[in-house]
Amino acid sequence: QVQLVESGGGLVQAGGSLRLSCVASGSIFSINFMGWYRQAPGKEREVVASIMTGGSPTYADSVKGRFTISRDNAKNTVYLQMNSLKPEDTAVYYCNADLSSDYGNSWYDYWGQGTQVTVSS
């Protein structure tokens, strides 16, 4: 069984910073993709940033230059450093991973439970 657990959310003033972490644990053979999504009240879930194994990170236009995604492959962990936060960044942030538990024979999508980020003006 695989679990993704996020941490690091909270309340911050506009212009401040937060660092989110997501640890994947359980029966993991390999992780292909890890990413961060967010969902604000009344809105659809949207991708914020993502990174493929061995690839370059990609970002939503709304966070480019402010957010940085990184991975620690040895720890099966992905981070999201969020700087210059704006009230419109307020949302529940979810970690997502595409990984294999059976030596690469099959790959599945997993989600964390989400962590709330609230940016006050």
Side-chain angles (χ1 to χ4, degrees):
Q1 191 170 355
V2 174
Q3 276 192 317
L4 269 61
V5 179
E6 302 105 333
S7 61
L11 173 64
V12 64
Q13 287 189 332
S17 298
L18 284 174
R19 188 192 195 208
L20 305 183
S21 300
C22 171
V23 180
S25 62
S27 180
I28 299 172
F29 170 72
S30 180
I31 300 177
N32 180 42
F33 165 99
M34 296 191 85
W36 289 96
Y37 290 71
R38 68 186 181 187
Q39 187 166 19
K43 295 188 177 181
E44 293 191 355
R45 191 173 297 190
E46 61 176 0
V47 62
V48 175
S50 63
I51 184 166
M52 302 282 290
T53 299
S56 299
T58 61
Y59 298 95
D61 287 344
S62 58
V63 307
K64 280 181 181 176
R66 300 188 297 122
F67 291 9
T68 302
I69 188 171
S70 60
R71 280 176 61 174
D72 185 332
N73 294 325
K75 297 181 179 180
N76 290 334
T77 300
V78 63
Y79 304 97
L80 186 68
Q81 178 66 44
M82 304 185 294
N83 298 329
S84 302
L85 282 160
K86 304 175 181 180
E88 51 263 43
D89 295 318
T90 296
V92 178
Y93 284 70
Y94 296 91
C95 175
N96 173 252
D98 177 55
L99 60 88
S100 175
S101 298
D102 58 356
Y103 305 101
N105 292 317
S106 56
W107 297 82
Y108 294 98
D109 217 33
Y110 293 88
W111 292 88
Q113 81 287 352
T115 185
Q116 177 70 45
V117 171
T118 302
V119 185
S120 63
S121 56

